Amino acid sequence: TKGNRLVIEAGAKTDMFRDPNVTYNTDNAPKLLFRTSEDFVLTTCLSHRFINKWDAGALVLKLDSLNWMKFAFEKDYKGKKRVVSVVTRNISDDANSIELTADSVWLKMARAGNVITLYCAADGRNWLLVRHFQFAPGEIQAGFLAQSPTGNRCTVVFSSIRYEQKTINDPYTAE
């Protein structure tokens, strides 16, 4: 870390995914996690170089090895820069969202009880609701991840990190 910046470098063949075809299950991507039991909002600006397919940086929630979520900015299967969310309850889903041209995006994750809401923004102000779902109540871990499933490395910079213990009132406005 340096100032309000966190850098995580993922090595080769690092990922966090439980394939619906049950052919690929791994959780070896480097992460920095902290425990939380309160409602919160976690915001960051995330950037990386998008060198290899599925290189990504992400915000993460984790209950245990079979119940977790990652909200990522990754190089997709077509070589595009895309916001992606994966919710895992034994098996992962894989929900692709908007495509961006920039090397950075703002991500926001809000927890209110057992409901998680995910947002992205190009400018850190005009938030788009990406996903709204139920997750495990009680104490969980939240944090940051880098991955490089098909490459040799992916260095992700998380900047403007902000963690607030608060409850959002309106999931559509992120406030």
Side-chain angles (χ1 to χ4, degrees):
T1 63
K2 185 174 184 178
N4 192 2
R5 238 178 74 159
L6 170 68
V7 178
I8 301 177
E9 183 173 306
K13 311 238 182 299
T14 51
D15 199 359
M16 185 179 189
F17 195 68
R18 296 183 56 79
D19 190 339
N21 292 317
V22 195
T23 58
Y24 176 77
N25 295 321
T26 189
D27 184 5
N28 65 348
K31 300 174 244 352
L32 177 64
L33 302 174
F34 58 93
R35 293 194 185 284
T36 180
S37 59
E38 305 291 327
D39 290 354
F40 67 86
V41 177
L42 177 60
T43 307
T44 191
C45 183
L46 177 161
S47 63
H48 65 93
R49 294 182 47 221
F50 297 88
I51 297 170
N52 301 289
K53 182 169 61 172
W54 295 309
D55 278 1
L59 293 178
V60 176
L61 287 179
K62 189 171 183 179
L63 177 65
D64 56 38
S65 64
L66 299 177
N67 296 280
W68 50 265
M69 180 282 315
K70 70 177 175 182
F71 185 34
F73 190 34
E74 80 178 13
K75 184 171 183 177
D76 75 5
Y77 60 99
K78 291 186 171 188
K80 305 295 183 181
K81 300 168 188 172
R82 188 166 309 277
V83 174
V84 176
S85 62
V86 175
V87 176
T88 301
R89 294 179 178 100
N90 189 34
I91 300 297
S92 297
D93 71 16
D94 198 354
N96 291 298
S97 185
I98 65 169
E99 178 186 329
L100 299 169
T101 57
D103 287 347
S104 65
V105 69
W106 287 79
L107 297 180
K108 180 185 286 193
M109 175 171 52
R111 177 184 186 184
N114 65 341
V115 176
I116 305 299
T117 310
L118 306 176
Y119 307 89
C120 69
D123 59 5
R125 291 183 303 276
N126 295 299
W127 295 102
L128 171 69
L129 190 153
V130 173
R131 194 162 185 174
H132 190 61
F133 61 98
Q134 286 194 357
F135 195 69
E139 188 173 89
I140 57 175
Q141 293 180 307
F144 310 89
L145 167 147
Q147 68 181 42
S148 188
T150 63
N152 291 324
R153 77 177 40 86
C154 178
T155 302
V156 180
V157 177
F158 300 89
S159 60
S160 301
I161 298 167
R162 185 170 179 176
Y163 177 83
E164 301 172 274
Q165 285 191 333
K166 73 175 195 176
T167 304
I168 61 167
N169 295 314
D170 183 350
Y172 296 100
T173 64
E175 294 301 324

